[in-house]
Amino acid sequence: MAKISFHAITKQYPGTSRPAVDAVSFDVAEGSTCMLVGTSGSGKTTLLRMVNRLIEPTSGEIVIDGKNVLQENPIALRRRIGYVIQQVGLFPHLTIAENVRVTAEIAGGWTKQRLDKRVDELLELVGLPPAEYRKRFPRQLSGGQQQRVGLARALATDPAIMLMDEPFGALDAITRERMQNELLRIQRDVQKTILFVSHDIQEAFKLGEQIAVLDQGKLIQLGTPVDLLAQPANDFVRKLVGGDSILRQLEYLPVIDALEQDTVASARGGDVPTFLSDATLLQAMLKLLETNAPALAVQDKDTQQQLGFITLASINREITHAHGHKTERTETAI
Amino acid sequence: MNYLLQPYNYDLSDPASIPNLFLDHLYLVGITMLISLIIALPLGILVARRPRLYLLVITIADLLYTVPALALIAILITITGLSLATAIIPLVIYTQLVLIRNTATAINGIDPLLLEVGKAMGMNPRQVLLRVALPQALPTIIAGVRIATVTTIGIAALAYLAGQSGLGDLIFKNIATTDFDAVVAGGILIALLAVVADLLLLAVQTVLNRGRTSVSLA
Amino acid sequence: MNALLDFIADPHNNFMGQSITYLRICAISIMLAIVIGVVLAVAVSRSPVLSFIAVNLSGLLRAIPVIAFLVAVVPFLGIGAPPATVALVILGIPPILLNTYTGIRGIDPATIDAAKGMGMTYWQILTRIQAPLILPIVAAGVRTSAVQIVATATLAAITGAGGYGAYIFDGFNTFNKTAILAGAIPVAVLALIIEVAMGWLERALTPIGIRREAVQSQMVVKQGEVAKA
């Protein structure tokens, strides 16, 4: 129950020549994760902060579940939207448990028992054993642990929408990756509609079902990671997503993009190993190298029907000609 | 020590007995702190985040603080005579430096990020003030109150010179007659009061400062 | 105003003599407090236990009201100028000790390391690196001490130390406003001059590169100021 629609949303700060966000329109599907990426100054954070009205738009509409947020009471609006930021912003004078429950407390209507139970549930969910962490203070936690609490706090009232502004940007690489995995795990359970600002394209590919690329306040492209790789709207997107990077293409492009029908292998019939259609080129290439087979037979992952063959040559062709053409493709798992 | 141990020095019907002088002293300190806070809190809030104004106000407060208490009381006596005002005005003046500075520091120390986090989770302005801003500012303000109170307890002894009774009476009345026992009793009682007030306010400060770095004892 | 000038000019009041008495007590007390305070700070700075004791003792001493301290030492030291000087020195030590100690501890070990690395001798490190970094902070402590000593020296008149305080107390006893002002005004002016002059010296001693932080550290140290006469 939480689809977010942007309709020509614009923010122009007084005394600036171009809008920070310029007539951006797109939809975020209910229960999906949409990543906002772009260079600094692209307007991605401004766009995010207009959703819970920490910034008021100059013109345009943001509609959540059919209701224009600009016509809502901002305080009521914010209470049903989770907000997670890079600096975390835990209250230093409150314990971890108090920090988590504060969102529920200010909204009111919770009994003490329900609050206590909810806090324990959430700490458990974000991987902090409640008995150990409940009574601690923020400064006694590492950066990664603090952000787990930040996540728990945002989830406390079970909001349908989460706004996340580079939540893992300040963490070291290993902790960041662990937190990304945690978020994916949690998202599988809670199914929030997430709007997530990131400057890390790797992160965007990993977490996002949709990626919105912004540049100088304008929405340049909206699409799945594969869309962005295979069909970048312009050079900016191609550079941003690393469309030139062979490894990234191998990692994300599906095997069905590199199918061929008539090969030497096809003549040999069933001798070659079979492979499912939702695999990536990289997986296929590794399999080819590993088995030393001349080709792989690709089967549809649902119907088991044989779709074609894949060879090192066909992979090579797909990568060198990746841009420009688009074959019909099935849903891509990342 | 004898003076402190004589039961007749605790006779409540005698206005010059230790308990009565003690209460008089507390009264002087209490009224001073009340007036001081009424002046310093708004002033501190006003000059916070305004560096030029802050520098001006603090420089004036610092110069006033520099004038020795005895000299200030002496000069005031020639103007306002032997009165409560002569005793209270210097005490209030001396608290201003630390109270204004700590209040301004406290306000400056409120993290705007946390105010925004509060706002973003749907706090109304009152909740932001009570749950986010005040808990951050109070420990520093109370630290100032602690220093100001302890200072005031010490200087309030000079109120005797302005004709106001307090523990200073024990010192000034008896030094002329070289009754050192009574003089030292006065000194000990004032020091004791100062230390107790210091520890009490330290406890308050520690409670308010929960979750953050510990406060120093000195 | 004329009465005041007459009072000062009257040889019977010995204004010059009282001024010299007062200034001498203050000057000697400040000098001794500086020497003892700095030496103690340097001495304890290498030992964690000793510095813990020194810092907390200093803090405690500052929490005790000056007047209480002044009368408390009377039975041990007696009455007159020399005992008052001893009391003033003891009161003057804590701010200098605390600031010197803070200054020494505040020097980034990497700075000293770098100096050693470039081949500076112990003496060169002391004079070229440590002294310029510490001096302004010590000066801030001396400023606090000096102002406090000047103020307390007036109060010391109740223990028979003489000086301007004597005029004030005599004035109180005889209800002589002129005498009161003759004592109070010079003391107030002297305290203000010391405060302003020491503030200027402190800034002058601060290397330009660290000027801002030094002002802040002085603020921090001043926050601990409790003793006030």
mmCIF file with all atom_site columns, all heavy atoms in Angstrom, chain A residues 116-132:
data_model
loop_
_atom_site.group_PDB
_atom_site.id
_atom_site.type_symbol
_atom_site.label_atom_id
_atom_site.label_alt_id
_atom_site.label_comp_id
_atom_site.label_asym_id
_atom_site.label_entity_id
_atom_site.label_seq_id
_atom_site.pdbx_PDB_ins_code
_atom_site.Cartn_x
_atom_site.Cartn_y
_atom_site.Cartn_z
_atom_site.occupancy
_atom_site.B_iso_or_equiv
_atom_site.pdbx_formal_charge
_atom_site.auth_seq_id
_atom_site.auth_comp_id
_atom_site.auth_asym_id
_atom_site.auth_atom_id
_atom_site.pdbx_PDB_model_num
ATOM 1   N N   . ASP A 1 116 ? 8.021  -2.263  24.506 1.00 0.00 ? 116 ASP A N   1
ATOM 2   C CA  . ASP A 1 116 ? 9.172  -3.087  24.893 1.00 0.00 ? 116 ASP A CA  1
ATOM 3   C C   . ASP A 1 116 ? 9.323  -4.274  23.949 1.00 0.00 ? 116 ASP A C   1
ATOM 4   O O   . ASP A 1 116 ? 10.415 -4.611  23.514 1.00 0.00 ? 116 ASP A O   1
ATOM 5   C CB  . ASP A 1 116 ? 8.996  -3.603  26.336 1.00 0.00 ? 116 ASP A CB  1
ATOM 6   C CG  . ASP A 1 116 ? 9.152  -2.472  27.346 1.00 0.00 ? 116 ASP A CG  1
ATOM 7   O OD1 . ASP A 1 116 ? 9.701  -1.428  26.962 1.00 0.00 ? 116 ASP A OD1 1
ATOM 8   O OD2 . ASP A 1 116 ? 8.715  -2.655  28.497 1.00 0.00 ? 116 ASP A OD2 1
ATOM 9   N N   . LYS A 1 117 ? 8.184  -4.890  23.639 1.00 0.00 ? 117 LYS A N   1
ATOM 10  C CA  . LYS A 1 117 ? 8.201  -6.055  22.782 1.00 0.00 ? 117 LYS A CA  1
ATOM 11  C C   . LYS A 1 117 ? 8.684  -5.662  21.385 1.00 0.00 ? 117 LYS A C   1
ATOM 12  O O   . LYS A 1 117 ? 9.515  -6.339  20.776 1.00 0.00 ? 117 LYS A O   1
ATOM 13  C CB  . LYS A 1 117 ? 6.788  -6.645  22.717 1.00 0.00 ? 117 LYS A CB  1
ATOM 14  C CG  . LYS A 1 117 ? 6.728  -8.034  22.129 1.00 0.00 ? 117 LYS A CG  1
ATOM 15  C CD  . LYS A 1 117 ? 5.381  -8.693  22.440 1.00 0.00 ? 117 LYS A CD  1
ATOM 16  C CE  . LYS A 1 117 ? 5.073  -9.761  21.422 1.00 0.00 ? 117 LYS A CE  1
ATOM 17  N NZ  . LYS A 1 117 ? 4.398  -9.267  20.219 1.00 0.00 ? 117 LYS A NZ  1
ATOM 18  N N   . ARG A 1 118 ? 8.193  -4.533  20.913 1.00 0.00 ? 118 ARG A N   1
ATOM 19  C CA  . ARG A 1 118 ? 8.537  -4.037  19.581 1.00 0.00 ? 118 ARG A CA  1
ATOM 20  C C   . ARG A 1 118 ? 10.044 -3.738  19.492 1.00 0.00 ? 118 ARG A C   1
ATOM 21  O O   . ARG A 1 118 ? 10.699 -4.070  18.506 1.00 0.00 ? 118 ARG A O   1
ATOM 22  C CB  . ARG A 1 118 ? 7.715  -2.778  19.291 1.00 0.00 ? 118 ARG A CB  1
ATOM 23  C CG  . ARG A 1 118 ? 7.967  -2.155  17.922 1.00 0.00 ? 118 ARG A CG  1
ATOM 24  C CD  . ARG A 1 118 ? 7.398  -3.024  16.818 1.00 0.00 ? 118 ARG A CD  1
ATOM 25  N NE  . ARG A 1 118 ? 7.655  -2.451  15.509 1.00 0.00 ? 118 ARG A NE  1
ATOM 26  C CZ  . ARG A 1 118 ? 7.849  -3.165  14.411 1.00 0.00 ? 118 ARG A CZ  1
ATOM 27  N NH1 . ARG A 1 118 ? 7.820  -4.468  14.469 1.00 0.00 ? 118 ARG A NH1 1
ATOM 28  N NH2 . ARG A 1 118 ? 8.066  -2.580  13.260 1.00 0.00 ? 118 ARG A NH2 1
ATOM 29  N N   . VAL A 1 119 ? 10.589 -3.111  20.533 1.00 0.00 ? 119 VAL A N   1
ATOM 30  C CA  . VAL A 1 119 ? 12.018 -2.773  20.542 1.00 0.00 ? 119 VAL A CA  1
ATOM 31  C C   . VAL A 1 119 ? 12.844 -4.046  20.421 1.00 0.00 ? 119 VAL A C   1
ATOM 32  O O   . VAL A 1 119 ? 13.774 -4.130  19.611 1.00 0.00 ? 119 VAL A O   1
ATOM 33  C CB  . VAL A 1 119 ? 12.387 -2.006  21.832 1.00 0.00 ? 119 VAL A CB  1
ATOM 34  C CG1 . VAL A 1 119 ? 13.901 -1.930  21.996 1.00 0.00 ? 119 VAL A CG1 1
ATOM 35  C CG2 . VAL A 1 119 ? 11.796 -0.605  21.810 1.00 0.00 ? 119 VAL A CG2 1
ATOM 36  N N   . ASP A 1 120 ? 12.481 -5.072  21.199 1.00 0.00 ? 120 ASP A N   1
ATOM 37  C CA  . ASP A 1 120 ? 13.236 -6.330  21.162 1.00 0.00 ? 120 ASP A CA  1
ATOM 38  C C   . ASP A 1 120 ? 13.155 -6.983  19.786 1.00 0.00 ? 120 ASP A C   1
ATOM 39  O O   . ASP A 1 120 ? 14.145 -7.458  19.243 1.00 0.00 ? 120 ASP A O   1
ATOM 40  C CB  . ASP A 1 120 ? 12.717 -7.287  22.236 1.00 0.00 ? 120 ASP A CB  1
ATOM 41  C CG  . ASP A 1 120 ? 13.178 -6.856  23.625 1.00 0.00 ? 120 ASP A CG  1
ATOM 42  O OD1 . ASP A 1 120 ? 13.892 -5.832  23.700 1.00 0.00 ? 120 ASP A OD1 1
ATOM 43  O OD2 . ASP A 1 120 ? 12.826 -7.519  24.609 1.00 0.00 ? 120 ASP A OD2 1
ATOM 44  N N   . GLU A 1 121 ? 11.942 -6.982  19.229 1.00 0.00 ? 121 GLU A N   1
ATOM 45  C CA  . GLU A 1 121 ? 11.740 -7.526  17.891 1.00 0.00 ? 121 GLU A CA  1
ATOM 46  C C   . GLU A 1 121 ? 12.672 -6.858  16.877 1.00 0.00 ? 121 GLU A C   1
ATOM 47  O O   . GLU A 1 121 ? 13.336 -7.506  16.072 1.00 0.00 ? 121 GLU A O   1
ATOM 48  C CB  . GLU A 1 121 ? 10.317 -7.196  17.433 1.00 0.00 ? 121 GLU A CB  1
ATOM 49  C CG  . GLU A 1 121 ? 9.291  -8.293  17.505 1.00 0.00 ? 121 GLU A CG  1
ATOM 50  C CD  . GLU A 1 121 ? 7.906  -7.687  17.233 1.00 0.00 ? 121 GLU A CD  1
ATOM 51  O OE1 . GLU A 1 121 ? 7.770  -6.845  16.302 1.00 0.00 ? 121 GLU A OE1 1
ATOM 52  O OE2 . GLU A 1 121 ? 6.991  -8.050  17.969 1.00 0.00 ? 121 GLU A OE2 1
ATOM 53  N N   . LEU A 1 122 ? 12.685 -5.523  16.957 1.00 0.00 ? 122 LEU A N   1
ATOM 54  C CA  . LEU A 1 122 ? 13.451 -4.762  15.964 1.00 0.00 ? 122 LEU A CA  1
ATOM 55  C C   . LEU A 1 122 ? 14.942 -4.967  16.136 1.00 0.00 ? 122 LEU A C   1
ATOM 56  O O   . LEU A 1 122 ? 15.673 -5.123  15.155 1.00 0.00 ? 122 LEU A O   1
ATOM 57  C CB  . LEU A 1 122 ? 13.119 -3.268  16.083 1.00 0.00 ? 122 LEU A CB  1
ATOM 58  C CG  . LEU A 1 122 ? 11.748 -2.886  15.522 1.00 0.00 ? 122 LEU A CG  1
ATOM 59  C CD1 . LEU A 1 122 ? 11.300 -1.548  16.057 1.00 0.00 ? 122 LEU A CD1 1
ATOM 60  C CD2 . LEU A 1 122 ? 11.796 -2.868  13.999 1.00 0.00 ? 122 LEU A CD2 1
ATOM 61  N N   . LEU A 1 123 ? 15.415 -4.971  17.389 1.00 0.00 ? 123 LEU A N   1
ATOM 62  C CA  . LEU A 1 123 ? 16.846 -5.183  17.617 1.00 0.00 ? 123 LEU A CA  1
ATOM 63  C C   . LEU A 1 123 ? 17.240 -6.562  17.099 1.00 0.00 ? 123 LEU A C   1
ATOM 64  O O   . LEU A 1 123 ? 18.286 -6.735  16.477 1.00 0.00 ? 123 LEU A O   1
ATOM 65  C CB  . LEU A 1 123 ? 17.180 -5.036  19.103 1.00 0.00 ? 123 LEU A CB  1
ATOM 66  C CG  . LEU A 1 123 ? 17.122 -3.603  19.641 1.00 0.00 ? 123 LEU A CG  1
ATOM 67  C CD1 . LEU A 1 123 ? 17.443 -3.551  21.131 1.00 0.00 ? 123 LEU A CD1 1
ATOM 68  C CD2 . LEU A 1 123 ? 18.083 -2.690  18.880 1.00 0.00 ? 123 LEU A CD2 1
ATOM 69  N N   . GLU A 1 124 ? 16.359 -7.511  17.328 1.00 0.00 ? 124 GLU A N   1
ATOM 70  C CA  . GLU A 1 124 ? 16.587 -8.860  16.824 1.00 0.00 ? 124 GLU A CA  1
ATOM 71  C C   . GLU A 1 124 ? 16.680 -8.824  15.298 1.00 0.00 ? 124 GLU A C   1
ATOM 72  O O   . GLU A 1 124 ? 17.584 -9.399  14.692 1.00 0.00 ? 124 GLU A O   1
ATOM 73  C CB  . GLU A 1 124 ? 15.408 -9.741  17.263 1.00 0.00 ? 124 GLU A CB  1
ATOM 74  C CG  . GLU A 1 124 ? 15.705 -11.222 17.361 1.00 0.00 ? 124 GLU A CG  1
ATOM 75  C CD  . GLU A 1 124 ? 16.462 -11.556 18.646 1.00 0.00 ? 124 GLU A CD  1
ATOM 76  O OE1 . GLU A 1 124 ? 15.884 -11.446 19.749 1.00 0.00 ? 124 GLU A OE1 1
ATOM 77  O OE2 . GLU A 1 124 ? 17.632 -11.908 18.516 1.00 0.00 ? 124 GLU A OE2 1
ATOM 78  N N   . LEU A 1 125 ? 15.748 -8.113  14.699 1.00 0.00 ? 125 LEU A N   1
ATOM 79  C CA  . LEU A 1 125 ? 15.674 -8.036  13.234 1.00 0.00 ? 125 LEU A CA  1
ATOM 80  C C   . LEU A 1 125 ? 16.955 -7.469  12.627 1.00 0.00 ? 125 LEU A C   1
ATOM 81  O O   . LEU A 1 125 ? 17.430 -7.937  11.597 1.00 0.00 ? 125 LEU A O   1
ATOM 82  C CB  . LEU A 1 125 ? 14.478 -7.161  12.828 1.00 0.00 ? 125 LEU A CB  1
ATOM 83  C CG  . LEU A 1 125 ? 14.255 -6.977  11.321 1.00 0.00 ? 125 LEU A CG  1
ATOM 84  C CD1 . LEU A 1 125 ? 13.744 -8.271  10.699 1.00 0.00 ? 125 LEU A CD1 1
ATOM 85  C CD2 . LEU A 1 125 ? 13.259 -5.858  11.039 1.00 0.00 ? 125 LEU A CD2 1
ATOM 86  N N   . VAL A 1 126 ? 17.522 -6.443  13.275 1.00 0.00 ? 126 VAL A N   1
ATOM 87  C CA  . VAL A 1 126 ? 18.719 -5.821  12.706 1.00 0.00 ? 126 VAL A CA  1
ATOM 88  C C   . VAL A 1 126 ? 19.996 -6.474  13.218 1.00 0.00 ? 126 VAL A C   1
ATOM 89  O O   . VAL A 1 126 ? 21.101 -5.983  12.976 1.00 0.00 ? 126 VAL A O   1
ATOM 90  C CB  . VAL A 1 126 ? 18.777 -4.298  12.983 1.00 0.00 ? 126 VAL A CB  1
ATOM 91  C CG1 . VAL A 1 126 ? 17.614 -3.594  12.324 1.00 0.00 ? 126 VAL A CG1 1
ATOM 92  C CG2 . VAL A 1 126 ? 18.823 -4.011  14.471 1.00 0.00 ? 126 VAL A CG2 1
ATOM 93  N N   . GLY A 1 127 ? 19.845 -7.583  13.952 1.00 0.00 ? 127 GLY A N   1
ATOM 94  C CA  . GLY A 1 127 ? 21.017 -8.360  14.330 1.00 0.00 ? 127 GLY A CA  1
ATOM 95  C C   . GLY A 1 127 ? 21.763 -7.853  15.548 1.00 0.00 ? 127 GLY A C   1
ATOM 96  O O   . GLY A 1 127 ? 22.961 -8.064  15.682 1.00 0.00 ? 127 GLY A O   1
ATOM 97  N N   . LEU A 1 128 ? 21.045 -7.170  16.458 1.00 0.00 ? 128 LEU A N   1
ATOM 98  C CA  . LEU A 1 128 ? 21.668 -6.759  17.717 1.00 0.00 ? 128 LEU A CA  1
ATOM 99  C C   . LEU A 1 128 ? 20.908 -7.448  18.850 1.00 0.00 ? 128 LEU A C   1
ATOM 100 O O   . LEU A 1 128 ? 19.774 -7.076  19.128 1.00 0.00 ? 128 LEU A O   1
ATOM 101 C CB  . LEU A 1 128 ? 21.576 -5.234  17.898 1.00 0.00 ? 128 LEU A CB  1
ATOM 102 C CG  . LEU A 1 128 ? 22.286 -4.341  16.875 1.00 0.00 ? 128 LEU A CG  1
ATOM 103 C CD1 . LEU A 1 128 ? 21.937 -2.873  17.117 1.00 0.00 ? 128 LEU A CD1 1
ATOM 104 C CD2 . LEU A 1 128 ? 23.797 -4.527  16.958 1.00 0.00 ? 128 LEU A CD2 1
ATOM 105 N N   . PRO A 1 129 ? 21.518 -8.457  19.496 1.00 0.00 ? 129 PRO A N   1
ATOM 106 C CA  . PRO A 1 129 ? 20.801 -9.164  20.573 1.00 0.00 ? 129 PRO A CA  1
ATOM 107 C C   . PRO A 1 129 ? 20.291 -8.176  21.623 1.00 0.00 ? 129 PRO A C   1
ATOM 108 O O   . PRO A 1 129 ? 21.090 -7.460  22.226 1.00 0.00 ? 129 PRO A O   1
ATOM 109 C CB  . PRO A 1 129 ? 21.878 -10.080 21.158 1.00 0.00 ? 129 PRO A CB  1
ATOM 110 C CG  . PRO A 1 129 ? 22.887 -10.231 20.065 1.00 0.00 ? 129 PRO A CG  1
ATOM 111 C CD  . PRO A 1 129 ? 22.847 -8.973  19.269 1.00 0.00 ? 129 PRO A CD  1
ATOM 112 N N   . PRO A 1 130 ? 18.966 -8.111  21.839 1.00 0.00 ? 130 PRO A N   1
ATOM 113 C CA  . PRO A 1 130 ? 18.393 -7.085  22.716 1.00 0.00 ? 130 PRO A CA  1
ATOM 114 C C   . PRO A 1 130 ? 18.981 -7.091  24.121 1.00 0.00 ? 130 PRO A C   1
ATOM 115 O O   . PRO A 1 130 ? 19.273 -6.037  24.672 1.00 0.00 ? 130 PRO A O   1
ATOM 116 C CB  . PRO A 1 130 ? 16.908 -7.433  22.773 1.00 0.00 ? 130 PRO A CB  1
ATOM 117 C CG  . PRO A 1 130 ? 16.665 -8.281  21.583 1.00 0.00 ? 130 PRO A CG  1
ATOM 118 C CD  . PRO A 1 130 ? 17.941 -8.987  21.272 1.00 0.00 ? 130 PRO A CD  1
ATOM 119 N N   . ALA A 1 131 ? 19.162 -8.277  24.696 1.00 0.00 ? 131 ALA A N   1
ATOM 120 C CA  . ALA A 1 131 ? 19.639 -8.346  26.079 1.00 0.00 ? 131 ALA A CA  1
ATOM 121 C C   . ALA A 1 131 ? 20.975 -7.640  26.210 1.00 0.00 ? 131 ALA A C   1
ATOM 122 O O   . ALA A 1 131 ? 21.275 -7.013  27.221 1.00 0.00 ? 131 ALA A O   1
ATOM 123 C CB  . ALA A 1 131 ? 19.762 -9.798  26.512 1.00 0.00 ? 131 ALA A CB  1
ATOM 124 N N   . GLU A 1 132 ? 21.776 -7.730  25.160 1.00 0.00 ? 132 GLU A N   1
ATOM 125 C CA  . GLU A 1 132 ? 23.114 -7.159  25.221 1.00 0.00 ? 132 GLU A CA  1
ATOM 126 C C   . GLU A 1 132 ? 23.123 -5.662  24.910 1.00 0.00 ? 132 GLU A C   1
ATOM 127 O O   . GLU A 1 132 ? 23.900 -4.905  25.470 1.00 0.00 ? 132 GLU A O   1
ATOM 128 C CB  . GLU A 1 132 ? 23.992 -7.905  24.217 1.00 0.00 ? 132 GLU A CB  1
ATOM 129 C CG  . GLU A 1 132 ? 25.467 -7.617  24.370 1.00 0.00 ? 132 GLU A CG  1
ATOM 130 C CD  . GLU A 1 132 ? 26.274 -8.356  23.316 1.00 0.00 ? 132 GLU A CD  1
ATOM 131 O OE1 . GLU A 1 132 ? 25.805 -9.404  22.811 1.00 0.00 ? 132 GLU A OE1 1
ATOM 132 O OE2 . GLU A 1 132 ? 27.354 -7.868  22.986 1.00 0.00 ? 132 GLU A OE2 1
#
